[in-house]
């Protein structure tokens, strides 16, 4: 099973392959080199509490065309690598790690993956300085991420569920602050495909950044609705 330490020969019996330090310039990385469809995956190879560590699932699955620059950084631990790694092994020796055929869209992938953590390799995170912040969109403030079709694996969830940050930042940001700069309680005809007006909220609730939907009676208003009466500058609702 993934996470199990196995005999070193499971890693060393193959012809030498590029080391992780040669493949990736940063301990926290994202790459398209492991899949053939342009999808990128994020991982970690460095130290965690002074122990050599390898992590996976640190950025979810990133759609083709994603700017990977922000995902390659000097994070110094599994927890601080992008979104935090959902799977990891630490120590020294050869470990079974996850295969891509566990993901439905890659069920036909027959490769079997192992990782070798060499006790003689210094922890790269101890050699790197100037840690970089987590990936962020190019413009400040909250923003929409609207997929034209089905969201990628790892991002499909019930409304209200917190998902990996990559589900939002993989697309070009569409800042809410730009769309609704005048008032935290807003109404717009620019979101529904038929021009119907929807109401929402973007502000603070008890000091916590908050987003709300369906803030108008019935959820939808006709496209010819006068929007001014349903916009407020405070915390009240129409």
């Amino acid at each position: 099973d993934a996470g199990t330490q196995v005999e070193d020969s499971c890693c060393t019996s193959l012809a030498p392959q590029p080391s992780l330090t040669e493949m990736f310039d940063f301990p926290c990385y994202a790459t398209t080199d492991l899949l053939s469809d342009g999808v990128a995956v994020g991982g970690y190879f460095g130290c965690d509490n002074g122990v050599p560590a390898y992590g996976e699932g640190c950025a979810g699955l990133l759609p083709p065309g994603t700017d990977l620059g922000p995902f390659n950084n000097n994070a110094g631990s599994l927890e601080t690598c992008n979104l935090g790694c959902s799977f990891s092994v630490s120590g020294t020796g050869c470990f079974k790690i996850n295969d891509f055929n566990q993901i439905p869209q890659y069920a036909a992938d027959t490769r079997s993956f192992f990782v070798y953590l060499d006790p003689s390799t210094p922890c790269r995170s101890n050699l790197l300085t100037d840690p970089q912040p987590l990936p962020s969109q190019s413009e400040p403030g909250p923003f929409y991420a609207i997929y034209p079709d089905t969201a990628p694996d790892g991002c499909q969830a019930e409304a209200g569920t917190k998902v990996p940050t990559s589900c939002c930042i993989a697309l070009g940001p569409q800042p809410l602050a730009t769309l609704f700069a005048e008032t935290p309680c807003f109404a717009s005809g620019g979101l529904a495909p038929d021009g119907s007006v929807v109401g929402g909220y973007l502000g603070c609730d008890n000091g916590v950044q908050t987003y709300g939907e369906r803030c108008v009676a019935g959820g939808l208003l006709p496209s010819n609705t006068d929007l001014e009466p349903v916009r407020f500058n405070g915390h009240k609702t129409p």
Side-chain angles (χ1 to χ4, degrees):
D1 292 336
T4 302
Q5 184 166 5
V6 294
E7 296 292 333
D8 285 0
S9 60
C10 298
C11 290
T12 60
S13 61
L14 298 175
Q17 301 182 43
S19 70
L20 292 175
T21 51
E22 294 173 339
M23 292 177 66
F24 309 118
D25 294 331
F26 297 93
C28 183
Y29 60 86
T31 180
T32 59
D33 292 344
L34 296 174
L35 294 168
S36 61
D37 58 0
V39 171
V41 294
Y44 178 82
F45 173 58
C47 269
D48 197 69
N49 294 319
V51 179
Y54 168 84
E56 296 177 346
C58 311
L61 294 177
L62 301 172
T66 299
D67 177 12
L68 301 183
F71 292 92
N72 290 274
N73 58 74
N74 293 341
S77 69
L78 293 160
E79 182 178 348
T80 58
C81 177
N82 294 326
L83 313 175
C85 302
S86 60
F87 169 86
S88 65
V89 293
S90 59
T92 58
C94 182
F95 297 86
K96 180 71 182 81
I97 56 177
N98 288 296
D99 301 327
F100 282 106
N101 59 20
Q102 299 171 18
I103 304 172
Q105 68 198 74
Y106 302 116
D109 192 323
T110 60
R111 295 174 296 174
S112 184
F113 285 79
F114 296 81
V115 68
Y116 183 73
L117 300 179
D118 189 343
S120 66
T121 301
C123 292
R124 292 194 300 164
S125 56
N126 293 341
L127 307 177
L128 296 169
T129 58
D130 188 25
Q132 299 177 7
L134 295 179
S136 63
Q137 69 276 12
S138 59
E139 299 184 53
F143 60 96
Y144 275 129
I146 304 174
Y147 289 85
D149 204 339
T150 304
D153 288 345
C155 300
Q156 299 177 30
E158 296 292 332
T161 303
K162 187 173 183 180
V163 295
T165 304
S166 60
C167 299
C168 292
I169 64 177
L171 300 176
Q174 303 175 54
L176 288 168
T178 299
L179 286 171
F180 313 115
E182 297 178 356
T183 170
C185 185
F186 61 83
S188 171
L191 294 173
D194 62 356
S196 295
V197 173
V198 296
Y201 178 82
L202 173 66
C204 278
D205 194 68
N206 293 320
V208 179
Q209 187 167 240
T210 303
Y211 170 82
E213 296 180 345
R214 299 181 182 177
C215 304
V216 296
L220 292 174
L221 297 174
S223 59
N224 61 352
T225 299
D226 178 8
L227 301 184
E228 289 306 316
V230 291
R231 290 173 172 162
F232 296 89
N233 290 322
H235 288 260
K236 57 185 177 180
T237 56

